[in-house]
Amino acid sequence: MNKSSIVKIHNALVVTLQGEIDDRTALELQQEILQSVIRYQVSGVVIEISQLDLVDSYMARILSETARMIKLMGAETFLAGLRPMVAVTIVEMGLNIDGVKTALNLEVALEVLKGGR
Amino acid sequence: MSNRIDIRNESDVVVARQIARQVASQMGFSLGDQTRITTAVSELARNIFLYAKQGWIEYQEITLGVRGRGIEFIFQDQGPGIPDVELALTVGYTSGNGMGMGLSGTKRLMDEFDIKSSPGKGATIRIVRWLNK
Ligand SMILES: Nc1ncnc2c1ncn2[C@@H]1O[C@H](COP(=O)(O)OP(=O)(O)O)[C@@H](O)[C@H]1O
Ligand SMILES: [Mg+2]
């Protein structure tokens, strides 16, 4: 079951991806994130994925597309908290999520966003 | 004695990867290998749903003299098949709107990977990961 959440913290949207996310749910979440950027007028989005135990090619594509869409809308995206073994798998598979800024964890991502760079 | 998972809709892909992780962890695979196996199963189960609409997975623990214990998954469908296997394995090739990295990526994650397919009759993809490297 999908247990993801979207909340506003300071000037950023914090999206926590959690639980079992099937492909359709991932697309629905993408739409929700984009709409929340407008609704809350944030300049940054942090997608926190430390609870995700796998990122396959579909999820990788959704994540990088979401970041590109948010950029087009004028906000900045950080992917935060990628698990070590998930990072290993992404690299071994050769999945491309270049162009997505990453942060070690949520705190670091919010700090960087607050610093305004 | 093999077990079977039917793939008929999107949520079955989620079920397949939950089972894969559970079996891999029970067999004593490292966290890294659990992630590799689960990711491979996610890719191939999705391909069944996307390109063949439905199919099934058979999985079992296997033992082979020198290699020792391993886990084998066989993905089967009776969809359109994969007419050009080499093309399908090409990094970035997709006939849909994917990343075109599912088959090539899975091959890299697993110790054994082979595709059998006759056009019009579906596809059979077999993957194996050995417990001890
Ligand atoms: N079970 C299958 N039946 C028919 N064609 C398949 C099957 N699995 C994969 N393919 C073909 O191989 C291509 C590459 O698959 P893949 O590497 O997973 O990338 P993607 O799914 O992103 O297109 C697919 O676009 C599809 O044309
Ligand atoms: Mg695929």
Side-chain angles (χ1 to χ4, degrees):
Chain A
M1 203 184 61
N2 168 39
K3 291 182 285 188
S4 304
S5 65
I6 303 179
V7 295
K8 188 189 174 190
I9 298 182
H10 302 305
N11 201 24
L13 204 62
V14 175
V15 180
T16 308
L17 297 185
Q18 218 170 353
E20 289 293 347
I21 303 172
D22 67 20
D23 293 2
R24 188 183 322 176
T25 309
L27 269 180
E28 284 167 8
L29 278 164
Q30 179 183 68
Q31 290 307 311
E32 269 183 62
I33 295 167
L34 298 181
Q35 276 154 17
S36 301
V37 169
I38 295 302
R39 188 181 320 131
Y40 297 111
Q41 293 288 302
V42 290
S43 56
V45 177
V46 183
I47 304 179
E48 211 278 335
I49 60 168
S50 67
Q51 298 306 310
L52 287 194
D53 59 15
L54 84 99
V55 171
D56 61 14
S57 69
Y58 184 84
M59 186 54 98
R61 190 186 112 216
I62 293 293
L63 289 172
S64 66
E65 280 182 3
T66 306
R68 290 214 315 271
M69 291 165 182
I70 292 169
K71 188 175 181 188
L72 280 173
M73 292 166 64
E76 203 178 355
T77 305
F78 275 91
L79 203 57
L82 212 92
R83 288 190 188 183
M85 291 312 149
V86 171
V88 167
T89 307
I90 288 176
V91 170
E92 282 184 4
M93 287 183 81
L95 299 183
N96 192 346
I97 51 170
D98 297 359
V100 182
K101 289 183 200 151
T102 53
L104 206 54
N105 57 43
L106 175 61
E107 289 72 34
V108 174
L110 287 174
E111 203 57 44
V112 177
L113 282 172
K114 210 163 66 186
R117 47 147 280 124
Chain B
M1 214 181 23
S2 70
N3 301 283
R4 177 179 162 132
I5 310 165
D6 287 312
I7 303 295
R8 289 207 188 83
N9 52 56
E10 228 159 41
S11 59
D12 293 330
V13 177
V14 169
V15 171
R17 58 197 195 208
Q18 282 172 332
I19 292 174
R21 180 169 294 269
Q22 198 184 333
V23 172
S25 128
Q26 273 166 5
M27 276 184 68
F29 279 99
S30 67
L31 203 54
D33 270 348
Q34 288 176 38
T35 309
R36 288 183 184 91
I37 291 163
T38 313
T39 306
V41 167
S42 183
E43 293 289 352
L44 299 179
R46 173 184 300 105
N47 280 355
I48 290 179
F49 172 71
L50 284 182
Y51 305 114
K53 292 204 176 70
Q54 54 180 339
W56 67 96
I57 306 170
E58 280 168 31
Y59 64 93
Q60 61 179 339
E61 182 178 328
I62 55 173
T63 310
L64 188 77
V66 283
R67 296 306 316 247
R69 295 166 67 211
I71 180 107
E72 176 189 67
F73 291 86
I74 301 174
F75 300 78
Q76 300 184 69
D77 67 64
Q78 296 169 323
I82 304 175
D84 187 341
V85 170
E86 210 170 313
L87 178 66
L89 272 166
T90 304
V91 172
Y93 172 79
T94 178
S95 65
N97 55 0
M99 249 191 180
M101 313 259 348
L103 293 177
S104 58
T106 299
K107 187 175 179 183
R108 290 186 193 161
L109 292 177
M110 294 293 104
D111 294 319
E112 291 180 24
F113 176 98
D114 37 69
I115 300 182
K116 284 199 190 77
S117 176
S118 36
K121 284 196 178 151
T124 301
I125 301 179
R126 175 181 167 273
I127 57 172
V128 173
R129 186 78 178 167
W130 299 108
L131 202 49
N132 299 304
K133 299 288 146 6

